[in-house]
């Protein structure tokens, strides 16, 4: 039996298509139907065929890789439920097309800028995902300057020449506030994410607007950092107030679960004494006690959409902005009627 590696011609013969059709399917280019594309991908997988990235790069001047640079402590990646799911969605698109994801975790924004320059300057990636958008984000002009294609997660607050994959946080937060108002709560606090991040600021603004629509004054706000430790510290600050809130809307689940633990430590019963809502619906949220009322989003789907649009951009197509479904409130047992 021959031990030679299967070739692209073998894939074409077994799938009953031309070599050109195999190339189109593997590179995600138009020209083959979806059923044919899937048959080609299945055949390549069954034969164990792998593209030669070196040969492909030399012939096309492409890296066949996309980049993601995250400015955060490396140890925090595992505790943040968003990015593993988002990366899973990205890989679900890249892997069948013979593409790679280059991930860099750096300590701060300055190192993040250097990371993008390095990826673009060394030709290691064909495009990048831009996450954690900031107010007047300087990365947009940098990527334009170095000519590196990008897709942004949500729309920037300044002019951008890049397509955006957008999740509107406002309906989810508004529904959470409306749910609490309907339960009789009037002192509704907020543990916010960093206001220099657009999604942190957006969730804060949505909370304020929802209270205003209900005819209620904004309750106390503590800005935190989306971490469990930050959520715990913010909760202690709120529970130390002379007139403590009867409900707290957290900007993510990680802070909400930590806040629930603090409430238990202080002797409060959730939800009898304090109602709590989160945002994201991470897997753990359904299994804490009491199960967390939260806003369900789809980071895996967000990753798939972002990867597909970025590949379209890299391959010369002109994708526009794309909206993913807004979050929906999942009511569980951490919310109840206002005490007294």
């Amino acid at each position: 039996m021959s031990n030679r590696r299967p070739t692209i011609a073998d894939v074409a013969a077994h799938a009953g298509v031309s070599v050109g059709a195999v190339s189109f399917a593997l590179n995600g280019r138009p020209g083959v139907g979806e059923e044919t594309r899937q048959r080609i991908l299945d055949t390549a997988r069954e034969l164990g065929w792998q593209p030669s990235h070196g040969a492909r790069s030399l012939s096309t001047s492409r890296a066949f890789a996309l980049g993601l640079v995250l400015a955060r402590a490396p140890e925090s990646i595992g505790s943040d439920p968003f990015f593993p799911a988002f990366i899973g969605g990205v890989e679900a698109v890249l892997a069948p097309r013979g593409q790679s994801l280059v991930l860099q975790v750096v300590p701060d924004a300055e190192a993040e800028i250097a990371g993008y320059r390095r990826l673009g300057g060394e030709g290691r990636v064909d495009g990048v995902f831009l996450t954690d958008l900031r107010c007047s984000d300087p990365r947009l002009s940098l990527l334009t300057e170095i000519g590196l294609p990008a897709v942004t997660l949500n729309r920037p607050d300044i002019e951008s020449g890049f397509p955006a994959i957008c999740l509107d946080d406002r309906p989810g937060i508004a529904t959470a506030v409306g749910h609490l108002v309907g339960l009789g709560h009037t002192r509704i606090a907020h543990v916010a994410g960093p206001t220099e991040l657009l999604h942190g600021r957006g969730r804060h603004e949505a909370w304020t607007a929802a209270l205003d629509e209900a005819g209620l004054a904004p309750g106390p706000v503590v800005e935190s950092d989306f971490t469990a430790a930050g959520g715990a510290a913010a909760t202690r600050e709120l529970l130390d107030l002379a007139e403590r809130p009867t409900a707290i809307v957290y900007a993510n689940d990680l802070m909400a679960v930590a806040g629930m633990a603090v409430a238990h430590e202080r002797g409060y019963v959730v939800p009898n004494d304090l109602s709590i809502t989160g945002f994201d619906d991470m897997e753990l949220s359904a299994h804490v006690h009491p199960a967390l009322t939260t806003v369900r989003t789809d980071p895996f789907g967000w990753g798939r959409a972002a990867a597909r649009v970025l590949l379209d951009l890299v391959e010369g197509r002109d994708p526009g902005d794309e909206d993913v479904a807004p979050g929906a409130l999942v009511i569980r047992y951490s919310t109840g009627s206002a005490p007294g």
Side-chain angles (χ1 to χ4, degrees), residues 70-78 105-107:
L70 300 178
R72 60 193 61 222
E75 60 270 17
S76 71
I77 299 298
V105 181
V106 297

Side-chain angles (χ1 to χ4, degrees), residues 235-252:
T235 305
R236 293 187 187 99
E237 186 174 335
L238 289 171
L239 295 182
D240 284 340
L241 295 174
E243 189 175 25
R244 68 170 180 83
T246 63
I248 305 175
V249 174
Y250 290 80
N252 75 347

Side-chain angles (χ1 to χ4, degrees), residues 80-96 129 153 165 167 280-282 296-309 322 324-325:
D80 185 336
F82 175 84
F83 281 106
F86 175 79
I87 290 171
V90 169
E91 287 287 7
V93 173
L94 298 191
F129 302 97
L153 297 196
I165 308 298
L167 168 67
D280 285 330
D281 194 26
M282 64 181 188
R296 176 175 294 163
T297 61
D298 182 16
F300 185 88
W302 210 358
R304 287 180 62 96
R308 180 171 39 78
V309 168
E322 186 170 317
V324 297

Side-chain angles (χ1 to χ4, degrees), residues 80-82 132 167 169-170 172-174 176-177 180 188-195 197-207 220-228 230-232 234-235 238 247-259 276-282 285 292-297 302:
D80 185 336
F82 175 84
D132 290 339
L167 168 67
D169 293 340
R170 293 170 297 180
I173 293 290
V177 172
L180 293 169
I188 303 173
H190 182 46
V191 175
T195 52
L197 299 182
L198 291 187
H199 62 295
R201 186 176 70 180
R203 292 173 196 181
H204 182 186
E205 291 174 348
W207 168 81
V221 180
V222 179
E223 182 179 332
S224 190
D225 59 0
F226 287 127
T227 68
T235 305
L238 289 171
I248 305 175
V249 174
Y250 290 80
N252 75 347
D253 283 358
L254 202 57
M255 296 193 296
V257 170
I276 286 176
T277 71
F279 194 103
D280 285 330
D281 194 26
M282 64 181 188
S285 300
L292 182 66
T293 294
T294 185
V295 177
R296 176 175 294 163
T297 61
W302 210 358

